[in-house]
Amino acid sequence: MADPTDENAQPARDPAIRIALVMGFFLVCMGMLNSMPAIPGLQDLVVGLTGIEGIVIRRFSYEYLFPLAFVIMMIIVALRHSQFRHYRERGRKLRAFGLFMDIALVTMAIIVAVSYLIEIDSVCLIDQITGTRAELISGALAREIEFAQMMGLPEPTSVDDPECVGNLGVWIFAVVGLGVATFLGYNIRVWGLPLVGVAILVAAYTMLTIAVWYFLGPDHNRYLVTLLGGEPRTLLDGRPNIEMVLTSNAQGLLGQFMNILLNTVFPYIVLGNLFGVSAGGKSLIKLAFIFTRRLRGGPAHAAIISSAMFGTISGGPVVNVLSTGVLTIPMMLQRGFSRVFAGGVEAAASSGGQIMPPVMGVAAFVLATMTAVPYSQVIVAATIPAAAYFGALFVSVIFQARKQGIEAQGVLPPDMRMTRTDYLHLVMILGPVLLILFLLVTPKDAIGCGPITDFFGAVTVMRGEVCRVETLPWFFQVVQNSAGDAGSAGWWATALLMVLFFLDKDIRRMPGKLIEALAEAGVMVSTLYLMFLAVSVIDFCLNLTGLSNYIALDATQALASIGGSIGQNAVFLFIALLATMLLAILLGMGMPTVPAYLNVALLMGPLLSGLGIATFTAHMFIFYFAVASAITPPVAIAAFAAASITKADPMMTGFSAVKSGIVMFLIPFLFAFYPELLLIEAAQIDPNGAAGAHLPGYDGHVAWLPLAWLIARLCLALYLVGSVLAFFDLRPIGVAESVLRLVLAVLLMTSSPFVYLPAIGVTLAVLVWHARAARTQMVQT
């Protein structure tokens, strides 16, 4: 895969990169203003200072914000990832091709943005210029008023947006076609062929099905035909679909992904980029080492803790490896861990940062939007799986340390001692994370009623047992406006971090570092949206052809024909889950987590829901394997990044990462069959039942005692699996014992007590026997 950050090595004096950074900084300023939470009194203050009535300082109109941001992003991409610069030393023809692609990207971005304004009904740019729009609105309003007067109704003051009279006509096909081709072509250079290859295959399939309909008629297998209209067949019937590619808020090129990026994810991308240049990373590693120095794993355990905490903010496995691994991997090697194991643990821990609450990276925010589940609940749902994952990583390190005879160090090296400066730097990490956590888990209605707000002057009224807030002090109004909102939480965390940055003497001496980090965040946002364009093509094509729904419908009918459902045919469900896992890993190889998750979610999400898995659970299942693709050979990008530090074989490092992070591949199957592990009601909703109906055997609540019993069995099963992967527990484990342990691990997680209770007894007997054999062996030696 092409590395979208590979242009960072270009000298800063390059004029194109300087311009890209300036535009990136402008984009960040615009994006942070747009995503700014509601601050009481600020709007009135700005109006008073500027004298401009109706001025907008936040949540700008999407009709104008989206196309403007889109053009700026594509210009930044063309400047920072210039194909002309890439091919400059490779001959005239390639240099000319590179220049053509740079110009084409910017030109098509402008054309698409202007076309968006022309076609979207809320703007109708041509009609505004010609005056047609004003005539249509005034005429429609006059008719509405006349009707209201005739019926004795209140007179309306506005009407729905009229359809655009002046539009692109048939030229819309050329605009969308050339635009998609240009964006996909540029994606190959920036994000690599795997992502674009999937988009091209899906688009080619779509064109094929349209051609079959147009030339051969509609009487064919539904997988081979995409109906655009009735008889007589004409390609102009497809114009409404093409218009949707431009203007739809759900599927358009400037639709839901632009909305997610600018209104929810934007502050977190800025926050992650700022953390990348903060001095808190090394302090975090020191703190983790202090807590784990008395454990056998020592620096390996420290790597797990620091990577989990740093990864939950950065959200990128490669960035996480290169940020924390440069410090933790040499420490692991110094303690005696093998190069392959050290790289594998670091890669597995860094990848797991994406499933670690409270931030989890961009893909988790996309998941929340796709499933319509509040992000605060996504955090809750991720808690037990994340704890299981990192707990199993800890266990794998313990087994490896025993295997290699590595003992706990105990003594704290001088370079790992926390200084006053380290504690100050640590505030830069913990402060924003704790603020995000507080705002996300605090419901809005919890702000106002209580002794603290009463002390500061809040006025409340009690009606029975219900408290209603009449007035709140300004500070608590700010908190209430931001509580429970993911975008607001990220915005305040970013603002706090920018203030805390000045605890670092290097930042105080060179504040330009902060400006540069903000500018780089703008470049990262722009590059990310180029990737979203390729995913948008896949999204639109799958919706147009109906392929995902057809697969889901046919699979569900096949299951029903043999009398099965999620509760009646676990084998069929397991096969579907296994196929989804393989597809997620295959499509995720070499890709960032976001497109890896989206591609499979769009294709296989309806299938899993059709089989009776809650929509949220299905998306979580896919999300986990999209994350796991970063450590899965043959294209394990996180493991390869770790291997660049350890100098070990990249492929062997990838297999080691899979062994250490095996729970990433197991836990999704468990919460697919036991949705109570996700702790939220959305994981128990029956997708095929009536609205709000729950899956059979569930009522939307968590039964804590049965859940605790399930978690206890899960911990025991993970212990058995971890020991088998290391082929070591208290002593080496043979093949027969390994097979027995794996069988017992499976039996422990079955739902029947007639199976798992005997399995528990046998497991305890095996562990006691193993411990006695190890003690005997130690005495003999």
Side-chain angles (χ1 to χ4, degrees):
M1 183 191 78
D3 184 355
T5 63
D6 62 359
E7 302 299 339
N8 292 351
Q10 293 291 336
R13 63 176 177 272
D14 188 311
I17 292 182
R18 284 186 174 183
I19 296 172
L21 289 173
V22 171
M23 296 187 70
F25 182 75
F26 173 78
L27 179 65
V28 166
C29 292
M30 182 174 70
M32 291 299 288
L33 279 175
N34 174 69
S35 57
M36 179 172 58
I39 301 177
L42 183 59
Q43 179 75 35
D44 295 336
L45 177 63
V46 173
V47 171
L49 292 175
T50 61
I52 303 175
E53 291 292 337
I55 187 173
V56 178
I57 60 172
R58 58 180 293 274
R59 300 298 179 187
F60 306 126
S61 172
Y62 75 89
E63 296 95 337
Y64 296 98
L65 173 65
F66 288 4
L68 174 62
F70 178 62
V71 171
I72 294 173
M73 289 175 185
M74 294 305 102
I75 293 175
I76 290 173
V77 169
L79 291 170
R80 190 59 180 269
H81 304 282
S82 169
Q83 296 203 29
F84 171 76
R85 184 169 60 241
H86 179 71
Y87 294 120
R88 185 164 46 194
E89 307 298 332
R90 303 189 185 184
R92 176 190 290 184
K93 290 185 179 180
L94 284 177
R95 188 164 59 246
F97 170 76
L99 180 61
F100 169 78
M101 289 300 297
D102 290 342
I103 295 173
L105 178 66
V106 175
T107 302
M108 288 311 306
I110 295 172
I111 292 174
V112 167
V114 173
S115 300
Y116 175 86
L117 294 173
I118 290 173
E119 292 287 340
I120 192 167
D121 290 339
S122 56
V123 177
C124 295
L125 185 60
I126 293 178
D127 290 352
Q128 287 201 37
I129 295 173
T130 61
T132 304
R133 181 172 178 80
E135 295 176 4
L136 291 173
I137 292 176
S138 62
L141 183 59
R143 289 190 295 272
E144 291 289 336
I145 292 175
E146 181 181 354
F147 178 79
Q149 291 174 343
M150 182 177 64
M151 302 299 295
L153 300 172
E155 294 185 3
T157 58
S158 62
V159 293
D160 295 335
D161 291 322
E163 291 187 8
C164 303
V165 175
N167 55 39
L168 295 175
V170 296
W171 288 102
I172 193 172
F173 291 94
V175 169
V176 172
L178 291 174
V180 167
T182 302
F183 302 143
L184 291 181
Y186 217 94
N187 257 299
I188 295 176
R189 165 73 186 92
V190 179
W191 286 106
L193 185 59
L195 171 62
V196 182
V198 175
I200 291 174
L201 286 175
V202 175
Y205 165 76
T206 303
M207 297 302 295
L208 174 64
T209 60
I210 292 174
V212 170
W213 165 79
Y214 182 72
F215 291 107
L216 302 179
D219 300 325
H220 295 274
N221 186 287
R222 60 185 175 180
Y223 285 98
L224 297 177
V225 174
T226 296
L227 299 175
L228 295 183
E231 299 291 342
R233 299 187 297 275
T234 169
L235 290 178
L236 282 177
D237 291 335
R239 191 189 187 285
N241 293 312
I242 299 301
E243 184 181 351
M244 292 286 285
V245 177
L246 272 178
T247 62
S248 171
N249 288 335
Q251 303 170 18
L253 294 174
L254 307 182
Q256 67 168 336
F257 296 129
M258 180 69 82
N259 180 53
I260 294 170
L261 193 63
L262 290 182
N263 292 327
T264 301
V265 178
F266 197 95
Y268 291 94
I269 297 176
V270 177
L271 181 66
N273 216 64
L274 292 178
F275 270 116
V277 299
S278 73
K282 187 173 182 180
S283 301
L284 187 64
I285 293 173
K286 286 185 177 181
L287 183 65
F289 190 85
I290 290 173
F291 285 134
T292 60
R293 71 185 187 277
R294 300 188 186 281
L295 300 176
R296 281 177 173 267
H301 285 134
I304 294 171
I305 294 176
S306 58
S307 295
M309 295 188 67
F310 192 86
T312 190
I313 302 163
S314 69
V318 175
V319 173
N320 199 358
V321 168
L322 298 178
S323 298
T324 61
V326 292
L327 296 174
T328 58
I329 287 177
M331 293 164 57
M332 284 188 274
L333 298 179
Q334 187 178 7
R335 286 292 302 279
F337 287 101
S338 68
R339 293 182 180 275
V340 169
F341 180 80
V345 165
E346 179 59 46
S350 294
S351 298
Q354 297 176 92
I355 63 169
M356 182 68 181
V359 182
M360 300 170 62
V362 175
F365 290 98
V366 178
L367 181 149
T369 303
M370 296 284 287
T371 58
V373 172
Y375 188 72
S376 57
Q377 291 191 39
V378 175
I379 291 176
V380 175
T383 302
I384 291 179
Y389 179 71
F390 285 101
L393 272 180
F394 254 74
V395 172
S396 72
V397 169
I398 292 173
F399 288 139
Q400 185 68 22
R402 289 176 182 174
K403 186 176 183 178
Q404 295 187 220
I406 299 173
E407 297 295 335
Q409 183 171 348
V411 179
L412 193 64
D415 60 341
M416 284 291 109
R417 297 183 185 278
M418 293 285 289
T419 65
R420 180 176 176 274
T421 302
D422 286 320
Y423 285 112
L424 288 176
H425 291 169
L426 203 58
V427 173
M428 291 190 288
I429 296 285
L430 299 181
V433 172
L434 293 176
L435 179 60
I436 290 173
L437 192 59
F438 168 76
L439 289 176
L440 286 179
V441 302
T442 302
K444 290 184 183 294
D445 55 9
I447 306 298
C449 291
I452 297 178
T453 50
D454 289 344
F455 177 79
F456 285 98
V459 177
T460 59
V461 175
M462 294 297 298
R463 293 183 176 177
E465 296 182 356
V466 179
C467 172
R468 186 167 64 87
V469 179
E470 295 287 338
T471 60
L472 271 177
W474 179 86
F475 173 77
F476 290 100
Q477 289 182 47
V478 173
V479 175
Q480 187 180 62
N481 290 340
S482 301
D485 180 69
S488 297
W491 194 94
W492 284 114
T494 304
L496 174 63
L497 180 58
M498 285 193 284
V499 173
L500 295 177
F501 251 44
F502 290 94
L503 294 174
D504 185 354
K505 62 181 180 181
D506 292 333
I507 296 295
R508 293 197 300 270
R509 187 170 62 249
M510 292 184 294
K513 283 186 175 181
L514 176 59
I515 304 298
E516 185 177 355
L518 292 171
E520 288 287 359
V523 175
M524 185 179 296
V525 168
S526 305
T527 309
L528 185 63
Y529 196 71
L530 180 69
M531 174 193 70
F532 276 133
L533 290 173
V535 179
S536 296
V537 173
I538 298 171
D539 186 18
F540 169 76
C541 288
L542 289 178
N543 277 280
L544 181 62
T545 60
L547 177 63
S548 302
N549 293 327
Y550 296 155
I551 293 174
L553 181 62
D554 287 346
T556 304
Q557 289 177 347
L559 180 61
S561 68
I562 58 176
S565 68
I566 184 173
Q568 300 171 353
N569 198 316
V571 174
F572 194 98
L573 176 62
F574 178 78
I575 293 173
L577 291 171
L578 188 64
T580 304
M581 177 196 78
L582 295 175
L583 187 62
I585 293 174
L586 178 64
L587 293 182
M589 287 181 181
M591 283 192 198
T593 305
V594 175
Y597 156 68
L598 282 172
N599 289 346
V600 183
L602 294 173
L603 184 62
M604 299 295 287
L607 170 61
L608 296 184
S609 296
L611 294 176
I613 297 179
T615 300
F616 177 80
T617 306
H619 279 258
M620 277 290 284
F621 182 91
I622 296 167
F623 169 67
Y624 258 69
F625 286 110
V627 172
S629 66
I631 60 172
T632 308
V635 191
I637 56 176
F640 291 176
S644 69
I645 300 174
T646 62
K647 308 303 180 186
D649 179 78
M651 198 64 65
M652 295 303 296
T653 302
F655 285 115
S656 177
V658 170
K659 287 175 60 178
S660 295
I662 192 66
V663 175
M664 187 79 77
F665 300 85
L666 300 179
I667 197 71
F669 286 93
L670 291 177
F671 63 63
F673 285 98
Y674 297 103
E676 60 266 35
L677 287 170
L678 297 180
L679 298 177
I680 64 173
E681 184 180 10
Q684 300 180 19
I685 297 295
D686 187 348
N688 303 316
H694 298 102
L695 293 169
Y698 294 94
D699 59 4
H701 299 91
V702 177
W704 292 106
L705 286 178
L707 178 62
W709 179 234
L710 175 62
I711 292 174
R713 290 188 284 133
L714 172 61
C715 292
L716 190 56
L718 292 179
Y719 183 91
L720 294 175
V721 172
S723 64
V724 170
L725 290 174
F727 282 101
F728 200 94
D729 190 341
L730 296 174
R731 66 180 181 88
I733 297 175
V735 175
E737 186 179 351
S738 297
V739 172
L740 176 60
R741 288 188 177 216
L742 287 178
V743 171
L744 289 172
V746 173
L747 296 178
L748 285 171
M749 297 314 301
T750 57
S751 58
S752 173
F754 297 103
V755 177
Y756 68 69
L757 287 176
I760 292 174
V762 176
T763 299
L764 295 177
V766 168
L767 294 179
V768 170
W769 169 81
H770 180 89
R772 289 180 176 177
R775 192 178 304 112
T776 302
Q777 182 179 355
M778 185 181 300
V779 171
Q780 292 175 349
T781 57

